[in-house]
Amino acid sequence: MGQVKITNAHGSIVLDQANHGVSLRKQYRPKHTVAIAENKIKDRFGSVLAVEPELPAKFILYFKNGSDVLTNKSLARIPDIVNEIKQRSSMDISVAGHCDRMGNEDVNIALSLKRSHRVLNILLDQGIDSQFIQTSSHGEGNPLIFTPDNVAEPRNRRVEVIVK
């Protein structure tokens, strides 16, 4: 949850709760926030909220240890990813490879790139246009679960697919 600082010539107040607002009058300092009913928010701001972009869809695919072979459970998620891409008519797909901290860092960077290319090729085989897909390799540098060196962590052996 974010926050917004509302300021006029007499002072300011921070909005940091969902469905809250503040009444502003030029000659007074903003004093307190008030809860606003959801139906009133829709009445006042519905047209603005209607054009808000859809949040990205995120998929995490896991790999067998030391390889670019997807687990069976992750392989079964491919149709969900393809359906999401097609439903959104997405032209912005990110495929980011990751590794756990087992082994050499340079080898892990190469392996995470190999994993992202594996998923890229699967998406291409499913008819997704390559010009809409960006791949990257994070190696062991962006773990989901922080571990010391040379600790196997299956949740870090992954590719994250973001569909916007």
Side-chain angles (χ1 to χ4, degrees):
M1 171 64 93
Q3 60 183 23
V4 176
K5 185 175 184 180
I6 308 296
T7 303
N8 70 9
H10 302 283
S12 62
I13 192 166
V14 173
L15 286 176
D16 59 2
Q17 291 180 298
N19 300 336
H20 277 69
V22 63
S23 178
L24 287 178
R25 297 189 179 149
K26 288 182 184 179
Q27 65 272 27
Y28 299 105
R29 176 185 173 276
K31 289 188 179 179
H32 61 284
T33 64
V34 293
I36 302 173
E38 191 150 337
N39 64 332
K40 291 196 183 231
I41 291 171
K42 286 182 182 176
D43 288 344
R44 286 189 190 162
F45 306 107
S47 61
V48 173
L49 294 172
V51 297
E52 185 175 39
E54 187 175 10
L55 293 175
K58 181 177 182 177
F59 300 89
I60 300 179
L61 304 174
Y62 295 101
F63 291 80
K64 294 182 179 178
N65 190 24
S67 76
D68 66 340
V69 176
L70 285 162
T71 64
N72 290 336
K73 191 173 182 179
S74 291
L75 198 53
R77 298 288 324 267
I78 298 299
D80 298 333
I81 297 170
V82 172
N83 287 338
E84 189 71 29
I85 292 168
K86 290 180 178 180
Q87 283 180 345
R88 291 174 181 247
S89 299
S90 179
M91 294 186 285
D92 189 357
I93 305 151
S94 168
V95 177
H98 301 268
C99 284
D100 61 16
R101 298 194 67 187
M102 288 298 295
N104 178 287
E105 186 175 350
D106 291 334
V107 171
N108 285 339
I109 289 171
L111 179 56
S112 66
L113 183 61
K114 195 173 176 184
R115 288 174 175 165
S116 65
H117 285 169
R118 171 71 65 184
V119 173
L120 168 68
N121 288 325
I122 290 170
L123 294 176
L124 296 177
D125 289 345
Q126 296 293 314
I128 306 303
D129 193 328
S130 65
Q131 70 178 330
F132 303 137
I133 305 172
Q134 301 83 44
T135 59
S136 62
S137 170
H138 293 255
E140 57 189 55
N142 237 346
L144 281 179
I145 308 300
F146 289 91
T147 67
D149 279 339
N150 293 314
V151 172
E153 176 49 64
R155 292 170 290 181
N156 289 337
R157 297 190 297 260
R158 71 195 191 282
V159 161
E160 294 182 7
V161 179
I162 308 292
V163 180
K164 294 180 185 174

